[in-house]
Amino acid sequence: MYFRQCNLSQGVLSINASKSERLDYGSTHKELVQACAAGDRKAQFELYRLYSQAMYNICLRMLNDQEDAEDLLQQSFIDVFLKLDSFRFESSIGAWIKRIVVNNCINFLKKRRLTIQSLDDERMGGFSENPDDDLHESHLGVKEVKNAISQLPDGYRVVFTLYMFEGYDHKEIADILNITEATSKSQYSRAKKKLRELLGGRKYAGA
């Protein structure tokens, strides 16, 4: 799992990946993938076992609903197995699966009328990603931070999740969501601002 450090005004968001998410995104698992594409059910189960928990966590972070996350996970792996013939081993299989999962989550949210306001739609001040803007640092508790993230509006949460947890840069996020790079940056900045408000300036011990 990719992770960025996010400085908030009253602390540093620091959530480590669980063992189930520490995947080898550098591996194509070529023999396993070829066996899956050939219809080997044991190989398909093994690929699912390797990546399902991490992909479920992505779904849950993006959709903020356990049942929706479970449904999207199953649909995503159906898509994975149907599309395996198109995988050309030019990237890791984990990154390829993750892109399918992320795209499915985005499509689901768009059907639910995901709202991401353009930078031009709001007359707000500038945004900054400079860590020096945040003066006081402490580690925030995992449960408190996850709860705060779950309360973000969909648009804020999706951009924050893609940037913070999934490792996409703002240009990639803009391409995925069909928005401008400036809008992605502004949504991320506003997500951080909202998190500060939700966390109420409290300091938590790091997990």
Side-chain angles (χ1 to χ4, degrees), residues 4 7 9 11 18-19 36-37 51 56 77 86 97 106 110 117 128 135 143 146 167 173 193 195 198 201:
R4 299 179 193 269
N7 288 275
S9 62
S18 64
K19 289 183 179 180
C36 289
Y51 290 99
Y56 170 76
F77 269 94
S86 68
I97 293 173
I106 295 300
K110 284 181 177 178
Q117 290 178 297
S128 172
L135 303 178
K143 288 184 179 180
K146 285 185 175 180
I173 294 171
K193 181 180 179 181
L195 281 176
L198 291 169

Side-chain angles (χ1 to χ4, degrees), residues 28-146:
T28 61
H29 292 291
K30 188 170 185 178
E31 292 183 0
L32 181 61
V33 171
Q34 289 174 333
C36 289
D40 186 324
R41 299 300 293 272
K42 288 185 179 180
Q44 291 174 350
F45 178 79
E46 178 62 13
L47 189 67
Y48 181 85
R49 186 191 67 80
L50 285 172
Y51 290 99
S52 60
Q53 183 61 54
M55 299 306 152
Y56 170 76
N57 290 340
I58 293 173
C59 291
L60 187 59
R61 282 193 291 266
M62 294 190 67
L63 304 181
N64 202 30
D65 183 275
Q66 185 174 338
E67 289 187 5
D68 289 342
E70 291 171 352
D71 289 344
L72 259 292
L73 176 70
Q74 299 306 317
Q75 182 58 53
S76 294
F77 269 94
I78 290 172
D79 292 344
V80 165
F81 293 128
L82 288 175
K83 297 176 181 179
L84 268 181
D85 285 341
S86 68
F87 181 60
R88 296 291 178 257
F89 302 97
E90 295 172 351
S91 64
S92 71
I93 186 63
W96 186 77
I97 293 173
K98 183 170 81 168
R99 190 57 182 256
I100 290 175
V101 169
V102 167
N103 285 341
N104 283 351
C105 287
I106 295 300
N107 289 335
F108 177 87
L109 289 169
K110 284 181 177 178
K111 290 178 182 178
R112 204 172 71 182
R113 297 187 178 182
L114 170 67
T115 300
I116 297 181
Q117 290 178 297
S118 168
L119 182 65
D120 297 331
D121 291 340
E122 295 186 43
R123 295 183 179 180
M124 294 187 66
F127 50 83
S128 172
E129 294 181 54
N130 187 348
D132 293 334
D133 291 343
D134 301 316
L135 303 178
H136 305 289
E137 295 188 355
S138 66
H139 290 288
L140 300 169
V142 172
K143 288 184 179 180
E144 289 84 356
V145 173
K146 285 185 175 180

